[in-house]
Amino acid sequence: MTLSVPGSVPPGSTTPEEAPPTTDPAWDAALVNAQAAPPPTEDAPPAEAEAEGQEPETDPTSMSESEIRDEYDIPDFAGDGVLDIKVEGDTTVATKATEDFVQGLRDDLESGKIEKGSDEAKLLDLIDAQGAIDNGYDLYGYAEEIQTGAGTYRESQDSPTHLNGLDVKEMVDEKKVAEGISELMGKEGIAKRYDDALKATIDGVPSEALDGIKSKTMEGLFKDGEPNTAFEDYVIDMKEKATAAGDEELADKIDKEVGNYFDALNYFEPEKFADRKQQFDQNMMTHQLDEYVSDPESIDPENLDAGLRATVDVWQSAINGGLQIADKGSKAYKEAEALNAYFKDFADMSKNLSAEDSAKVNMALRSVWMDLKPVGGGPLSESDQARLREISDKVIGEKLDSLSTDDRNAFRKFVDGGAKTGTFGALTGTMGFVSAGVQLSNGGWSEMTSDEQIAAVRDLVGGLSQANDFSKFGSNLVNLGTKSDATAWLGLLDDNFPDIWKGESKVDSEIAKGVTKEINTASDKLANSDLGLDLGNLSEDDKKEFDKALEKLGDKMGDAPDASTAKKLGRTFVRFMGGAGLDVTGGVMDIVTGVRTLQKADTELEKAGAGLSIGGGSATTAMATMNTIKMFAPNGSNLAARLGGNIGARVVQGLAIGSRVLGPVLGVAGAVFGIAGALIAEAVAHQKMQKLTDSQGEFFGRLADQGVAAGDWGDKLEYARYASFMYGGRDAPDDRSMFDFQAEEWKHFQETEGERGSSLNRLAPYLHVDSNLNEKNLFEKYLAGQTSRPGPRGYSFETDDARPWDDTDMEAGTEGLEGDKGYISTSDYYRINVGRVYDAKFYDDHRKDLDVIVDRWDDWNGSDSIVSEKDLNKIVEETDNDDERNAAQFLLNNADFRRAVDGIRESGNQDTKISSKDLNAWLEMVTTNVSV
């Protein structure tokens, strides 16, 4: 799809009022650069609005995917990419390369080629930690049993307890693990090692499979040896179709296809990759900025407000400069005085507007200018001034009715005065550029002054215009600049910028020179400033490498006249890339920057791989920033990995569990983060088991040394070990961590000091919650007398389920439970746990159904005061009352709750038949003044 240029007039379709003089080169340039006719005007039917002999513009939203693909002759690469090729069964290139990479590191660590404490060894620990986060961790529980004489003896589980990912996340900081992997994978030696593994895997793919992918890649991205910009057109149209239809599947598809193309190019033609990828990114950014300029309604109100305020600030500053510095009676002073007469009220008015009203003023100014369609720049002709008053009154009535009379008068005065002096168009054009630029950067420029914001946008537009394709993808930008005289006021006529902006400018203004001077000064300041960038983690040497990369980037953007300009252009490109694509207007920059990858990320590692962190609505450096810098950084530089602190190299996505490329590569517990089978087989002797459990503690200790473990990881690991051993495994539901579910006992554990080298006294069995009321844990077996058996001559023998409960705190949590018996029975402990599992929160969460049950109980239980499953089914089938039916269905759906309530009294047999006494016993524990 070609791009329309609002306000332009196609060759052969001029009107008497709008026909440009043939002597106006700026206007001629705009027409040459415009790629299509404007939309039909209200006064002309579509056929009359089209250029004679020109085919009508095609709307991609009305085309099928295949029609769009055929339109631009782009091969279909939306399926498997290079990394998705199957090499061994269902194993993909990416999977095998990653597995070989990780296994190679493990082999070298074991053989001594890699030193303990090296970056590679640290990476392996982090990979193991990530595997544990995603898949859980097999922990061997133990307890140090206090000996009669002195010391302790470690009793361990023969089989490990599987902690789930939620438990591990309580001990390990998931985000820090991801960031650590990301940083280490970016280091040159490690990244090269992964790339070598990837290349070796790809080299093993049959040539016929690779030849087809290479042919497709080169055909899509190049034509006759030159870049094929039809590829960009294709991506733009497909994204437009996806956005218009709200088709997320298509958006994901085009995102993956772009990735497939450039991944393949990077492998097959690495020397062409950087140039072509930068060209694609640059063309996409130009198009996105061009779209915002042509459709200001797609810009957020706060960014329209920013564009208006920044422009007004700089204009007013230049006017004030003329009044304060120039000699009275001089041309500069008289011009400043004339401009101030109509501008000051408008400037004062704009400062007091809300963001919403400011956006309306911005749009109103744009509407007046576009409706007027003046020819060329400079002051308006008398006929244009007459039309201006009519247009201005109409726009004020339609768009500014919420403003006060004084504010509307200030607007009218500014439009009238600005038109007479030739400044209205320049301000409107600048405002359009800045609003679009701030939208592209996703705001976030509060630390920049107004002149710096304008300078950043000016430098970006100027830098993008260095490219050969700018006229194609930025036709609206060219049109806005050359028709409004904004080019002259912004300094785009300077020799540092392309001839595309030049022409016979009608601007002869000292104030315009003042504006240009302010913008150039701010531009020079930005060229040596980190404003709008995230360079806090870079050393001075890193920053030198950064500048070299930016200079190279600036050269790739176009033919920069010198190194200083190249660095400035590269810096402004990266500055915008940091936030581009984060808005919700459905543009193409989310593909370029990796935002879509982030939005689809499920884990912290995927987010680190996407290279972007979003918090509180703001953004740090994007993946595209890292990718851009990596393409142009000097050889041997680790710059890309350190930039922004949390930016992952491309290969991190090869490790991201659940990423679109890999799947769970690290999911084999025994091979990756568990204990080797041979070691388990040998771990029969106590000494072997002690070494085994020690090694697990050392693993978490090394994570702590890397700063990725939680502050209380040691206590949590200790609790997990002791609780797993003493109770016979992990005692918590799958959707809650053991520390959350066992909150009372965990709190007691934290607050109690160990004794004689053991943490047994820190456990409190009567504070422990049984997560499975249908099966006894080891403490319940102890209470039931099931951990010992009688032997000869009155002796008893302990079973393997016996545990040293006498060394635990058997008092905590028992207050008031013994009653007349003087001891706590198994049924007492069961009742305690029923009240903890099905507690007051459970009642509140299901209050609607439970209140109905209490109210209808006497009608439900019949003559025997018991409600059975048969009774509940009958209620569901026969009652006409929806609330009663839902309440009965609730009980049917929760058989464990019925079984627990049925067993709450000593006489209960847990057959899920609930008596009135059972229900009242439970209600008494969790509510007040509620009974049946």
Side-chain angles (χ1 to χ4, degrees), residues 221-276:
L221 295 178
F222 297 91
K223 185 174 183 179
D224 299 328
E226 297 296 322
N228 178 23
T229 57
F231 180 76
E232 279 90 324
D233 289 326
Y234 162 74
V235 173
I236 289 168
D237 278 10
M238 289 288 271
K239 188 64 192 293
E240 183 178 343
K241 176 178 176 62
T243 300
D247 190 340
E248 283 296 306
E249 184 177 345
L250 178 57
D252 290 343
K253 184 177 179 181
I254 189 64
D255 186 30
K256 183 179 188 302
E257 185 166 24
V258 170
N260 285 346
Y261 265 105
F262 284 105
D263 281 346
L265 182 64
N266 196 23
Y267 171 73
F268 292 115
E269 299 283 354
E271 69 283 355
K272 294 182 179 180
F273 170 74
D275 287 355
R276 185 65 182 94

Side-chain angles (χ1 to χ4, degrees), residues 187-242:
K187 293 201 177 255
E188 185 183 17
I190 294 176
K192 183 180 184 304
R193 184 167 180 146
Y194 179 89
D195 286 338
D196 288 345
L198 185 61
K199 186 175 186 301
T201 304
I202 296 175
D203 286 346
V205 175
S207 58
E208 57 269 19
L210 293 179
D211 289 346
I213 291 178
K214 181 177 181 180
S215 175
K216 181 186 301 186
T217 301
M218 303 308 292
E219 182 182 344
L221 295 178
F222 297 91
K223 185 174 183 179
D224 299 328
E226 297 296 322
N228 178 23
T229 57
F231 180 76
E232 279 90 324
D233 289 326
Y234 162 74
V235 173
I236 289 168
D237 278 10
M238 289 288 271
K239 188 64 192 293
E240 183 178 343
K241 176 178 176 62

Side-chain angles (χ1 to χ4, degrees), residues 288-289 292-293 295-311 358-359 361-363 366 427-443 445 453-454 457 480 576:
Q288 191 71 76
L289 192 63
Y292 292 142
V293 163
D295 182 18
E297 290 186 358
S298 67
I299 300 176
D300 296 336
E302 58 267 28
N303 294 332
L304 289 170
D305 172 49
L308 175 65
R309 292 181 189 277
T311 306
S358 180
V361 169
N362 186 316
M363 294 291 292
R366 174 65 178 258
L427 182 139
T428 303
T430 300
M431 185 183 63
F433 279 132
V434 178
S435 298
V438 177
Q439 177 76 14
L440 181 68
S441 70
N442 196 46
W445 283 4
Q453 290 182 8
I454 295 178
V457 177
L480 178 64
F576 278 86

Side-chain angles (χ1 to χ4, degrees), residues 740-760:
D740 174 42
F741 187 73
Q742 302 293 354
E744 288 191 61
E745 186 179 36
W746 164 235
K747 184 172 184 289
H748 179 276
F749 193 91
Q750 288 177 291
E751 295 173 349
T752 306
E753 291 290 332
E755 292 180 353
R756 299 169 58 184
S758 173
S759 290
L760 278 170

Side-chain angles (χ1 to χ4, degrees), residues 437-506:
V438 177
Q439 177 76 14
L440 181 68
S441 70
N442 196 46
W445 283 4
S446 58
E447 75 275 22
M448 286 191 193
T449 59
S450 294
D451 55 344
E452 288 168 345
Q453 290 182 8
I454 295 178
V457 177
R458 191 280 307 270
D459 288 347
L460 177 71
V461 172
L464 294 174
S465 68
Q466 305 276 355
N468 294 331
D469 307 317
F470 182 77
S471 296
K472 174 178 181 178
F473 295 103
S475 55
N476 292 306
L477 292 165
V478 175
N479 190 46
L480 178 64
T482 55
K483 282 194 65 180
S484 67
D485 281 336
T487 51
W489 288 67
L490 291 173
L492 282 169
L493 301 183
D494 186 273
D495 288 339
N496 286 334
F497 299 108
D499 290 343
I500 191 173
W501 303 110
K502 293 180 174 60
E504 295 181 7
S505 173
K506 296 181 173 60

